[in-house]
Amino acid sequence: MCECVPMSTYNKTVLCMSTLTKILMLMSKSTYKCLYYFNFSTFAHLFTRRQLKSLVKPVYSKKRELQDKYDKQIKSQKSCATRHIFLIRHGQYNLSGETDGDRKLTELGRKQAFFTGERLSILNYPWTKITQSTMTRAMETCSIIQKQLPENIPITTSDLLTGSPIQPDPLSKHWIPELIFNTDKSRKEVAFRRFIHRAPPEQKKDSYELIVCHANVIKYFVMKSLQLTPEARLRLKLDHASITWLSIAPNGRVTLRCYSNSGYMPPDAITH
């Protein structure tokens, strides 16, 4: 037998629930609105420091001709092309090596790099440039890939694409001094802003760029591009010589087209 509830108490309860529902709905709409503007309108400023207004000297005068000139300068800074960035992890390498020179690709690692180069060749995009890490395993991987692509693709090397960018949460079982994390994080942030940004206004066609580097770097770029906490990168796995594809639209919106793609390799060649 249910206990009877006085009508006055019932009315107050319904009123409170109704009010709470409205508050939650308003909060939901407000939160959605904030997320919308944060995701798409302020990405270029918060993550790449390339908001259009930050690229043009401000005008403090109210004169119409100066304001018109300022508006034209702002318009001239707008991007009109999409940058496609292919992040390639190096192949499997000798983990027992004591120095970077000893940590060369294994036989399987060289096969993995070959499969990836073959895949990129089949895609047949108009590759714009290649950037490789300074570490041996990345340079070996890049060399194998490069042999299967057109010879005229410019290639550069960057020491920004190495190291452990940020202390993971939860902590890794492998201890690393906090000082190293602090140093590497600064380098990774510089690398992120250098490589992950909208196309410059003078670029009229879409570009397709290859970056051959390391799992920590790729995870950091992906997490920051998607506005997720980089500390959670250990929750992601990345196959050796796999392809991760980011696209940056003219408005700064980033799309993760694929992550750790290695499905083009034979099953027995896939490792991480």
Side-chain angles (χ1 to χ4, degrees):
M1 198 76 172
C2 296
E3 183 178 353
C4 293
V5 180
M7 185 59 67
S8 58
T9 305
Y10 175 80
N11 290 337
K12 289 180 180 178
T13 303
V14 172
L15 178 62
C16 290
M17 291 180 65
S18 177
T19 303
L20 179 61
T21 301
K22 290 179 180 179
I23 291 173
L24 289 174
M25 289 178 66
L26 288 172
M27 288 178 64
S28 176
K29 290 180 180 179
S30 176
T31 303
Y32 174 80
K33 185 176 181 180
C34 290
L35 285 173
Y36 177 83
Y37 285 110
F38 178 76
N39 283 342
F40 306 133
S41 299
T42 64
F43 174 87
H45 175 62
L46 294 175
F47 288 86
T48 65
R49 306 299 178 190
R50 294 175 185 238
Q51 191 180 37
L52 294 180
K53 290 184 179 180
S54 68
L55 301 175
V56 177
K57 184 178 180 180
V59 174
Y60 300 104
S61 173
K62 293 184 178 179
K63 292 183 178 180
R64 182 61 181 270
E65 59 270 19
L66 293 178
Q67 286 293 334
D68 289 344
K69 183 179 179 181
Y70 174 73
D71 292 340
K72 289 181 179 179
Q73 289 178 324
I74 290 288
K75 189 175 181 179
S76 69
Q77 293 296 326
K78 290 185 177 180
S79 298
C80 58
T82 297
R83 293 182 65 226
H84 298 280
I85 302 172
F86 290 72
L87 302 166
I88 314 297
R89 188 190 179 190
H90 57 75
Q92 185 192 66
Y93 66 101
N94 176 25
L95 288 171
S96 60
E98 294 184 1
T99 65
D100 175 58
D102 297 331
R103 300 186 185 113
K104 297 181 179 180
L105 295 182
T106 63
E107 182 180 353
L108 177 58
R110 288 189 288 272
K111 289 181 179 178
Q112 292 168 339
F114 177 82
F115 290 137
T116 298
E118 191 175 50
R119 174 62 176 171
L120 295 173
S121 177
I122 292 173
L123 290 176
N124 197 31
Y125 287 121
W127 305 110
T128 311
K129 66 178 179 179
I130 303 173
T131 305
Q132 63 179 355
S133 160
T134 54
M135 301 192 79
T136 301
R137 55 188 181 272
M139 296 179 73
E140 280 187 299
T141 302
C142 186
S143 177
I144 295 171
I145 291 174
Q146 190 182 15
K147 291 176 182 177
Q148 300 178 75
L149 300 177
E151 296 180 355
N152 60 345
I153 304 174
I155 182 169
T156 59
T157 302
S158 174
D159 60 356
L160 295 174
L161 301 170
T162 60
S164 300
I166 195 167
Q167 192 165 8
D169 183 16
L171 296 175
S172 170
K173 62 181 179 180
H174 302 293
W175 182 82
I176 298 177
E178 188 174 352
L179 176 62
I180 293 180
F181 281 119
N182 292 337
T183 303
D184 287 351
K185 181 181 179 181
S186 300
R187 188 165 68 248
K188 290 302 163 298
E189 189 61 29
V190 173
F192 180 80
R193 295 186 187 182
R194 176 175 296 183
F195 296 110
I196 311 298
H197 57 79
R198 293 176 299 179
E202 61 271 16
Q203 180 179 321
K204 304 305 179 184
K205 296 182 179 180
D206 292 354
S207 59
Y208 296 82
E209 306 167 32
L210 295 172
I211 299 178
V212 183
C213 54
H214 309 271
N216 282 332
V217 178
I218 296 173
K219 292 175 185 179
Y220 186 80
F221 283 4
V222 168
M223 298 296 275
K224 285 217 65 175
S225 296
L226 300 182
Q227 298 157 246
L228 302 173
T229 174
E231 287 84 355
R233 62 184 170 81
L234 283 189
R235 294 179 173 88
L236 300 177
K237 287 292 185 182
L238 202 69
D239 293 340
H240 286 118
S242 60
I243 299 173
T244 297
W245 180 1
L246 290 172
S247 294
I248 308 175
N251 62 358
R253 184 181 299 184
V254 179
T255 300
L256 178 62
R257 292 183 176 270
C258 71
Y259 176 82
S260 188
N261 181 16
S262 59
Y264 47 85
M265 299 185 192
D268 59 354
I270 298 175
T271 61
H272 56 263

